[in-house]
Structure formats: structure tokens, C-alpha cells
Amino acid sequence: MPPHAGEGVHPGPRRAPGGLGPHSAALPRRQLTTPQKRLQAALVEQTESEWQPQVRARVREQAATSSGMMVRVVAHFGFTANGSSDDGRERTILTPISPTYAAEILRLQEAGATESELHPVVAEAITESYFTEWGTRAKGLRADLTDVRSIEFEF
């Protein structure tokens, strides 16, 4: 028994005369369900341009006021302290830095400071957190940061 019209058989999209693609009535429905790649890319870009600055600002504010941030430095570290036996050498250091130093670094970056202008603050921050373990050892130690290969900040 053949199916009645409209029962169990889906005819597919209607074709425009001459086989020139989908019928114009099908286009709006199709365009709503599958956005064009250019439109989709534009929507993603617009969303990120509005959303990312807000997220970055919030994370930077948190780093400067409560959580601090991580710093990864590959550089030559020399030391100045009474009785220090450590000769300077290249080190790769990943360490947390305090919100005080994070705020100073972020302020300098926003003011347009170059990476080399950040070196003294980064050296102080690393001395505090890594070399003197937040002031619990090596009193009076000062680390000098030279021959910097890279500095990366992580929030």
C-alpha cells in the first residue's frame, strides 16, 4: 500500500525552477540553523573583544590586591650578601610573587614600561619569594637580574 501524501515520506528541500539550488522559502530557515562561517567568526570576535578586557581587568585587579601572580624568569642571577658563597649563574625560576610586587609590575606595564625597566622590580620580587623565602632566611640578600632571556607573568 503506497503512503499517502505527507505520511512517512520527507520530500527534502524544494528546488527552485531549473535546479538552481534550494527554493527561496527554504533559505531563511537554513540560514538560521547554520550561520555562515564569516558571520560565526564575526560573532566570536565581537564577543571576545567585549568579554576579554573585562575578564583581564578583573584578574589583574585580583593579582594586585589579593592573590599575587606567578613569574617565570630565565636569566643570570648574581648575588650580593655578607658571607654568600653562591656565584652568579643562569637559572630558570618559577615562583609566586606578592600582590605588592604584582601591583607595581602591572602599574609599570600600564604606564608603558619596557621589559628592561621591569627587571629591578622583578629581581626584588624574586629575591623576596624565592631566595629569602618571604624573609625567613638569607637576610640582606639582594639578587641582581642580568642577561635576561625571558620573563613571563601568569595569573
Side-chain angles (χ1 to χ4, degrees):
M1 175 179 218
H4 291 32
E7 287 184 7
V9 176
H10 186 278
R14 293 183 294 174
R15 292 267 176 212
L20 296 175
H23 191 275
S24 61
L27 288 178
R29 182 178 66 244
R30 181 169 291 158
Q31 288 173 342
L32 287 176
T33 58
T34 55
Q36 296 173 349
K37 289 181 182 179
R38 286 187 312 214
L39 175 60
Q40 190 173 17
L43 289 171
V44 167
E45 183 179 331
Q46 182 65 27
T47 301
E48 286 177 353
S49 71
E50 291 176 10
W51 180 72
Q52 286 297 327
Q54 295 170 10
V55 171
R56 285 188 183 117
R58 193 168 42 243
V59 169
R60 292 169 76 88
E61 177 67 25
Q62 183 179 359
T65 58
S66 60
S67 65
M69 63 183 173
M70 298 292 288
V71 63
R72 178 187 308 271
V73 178
V74 179
H76 186 273
F77 286 88
F79 303 94
T80 305
N82 292 335
S84 174
S85 61
D86 257 345
D87 290 333
R89 64 181 182 272
E90 185 174 288
R91 296 176 186 237
T92 299
I93 295 175
L94 173 64
T95 188
I97 60 174
S98 71
T100 303
Y101 285 111
E104 179 66 12
I105 290 167
L106 294 172
R107 186 189 65 73
L108 289 169
Q109 285 179 328
E110 288 172 8
T114 64
E115 185 178 290
S116 62
E117 292 171 328
L118 296 176
H119 291 177
V121 178
V122 171
E124 287 178 28
I126 290 172
T127 298
E128 177 189 69
S129 68
Y130 184 82
F131 294 111
T132 66
E133 293 179 1
W134 309 103
T136 61
R137 66 179 190 91
K139 302 272 191 238
L141 178 74
R142 190 184 95 227
D144 296 316
L145 188 62
T146 58
D147 299 325
V148 177
R149 292 177 62 201
S150 69
I151 297 178
E152 297 172 19
F153 300 103
E154 300 172 11
F155 296 96

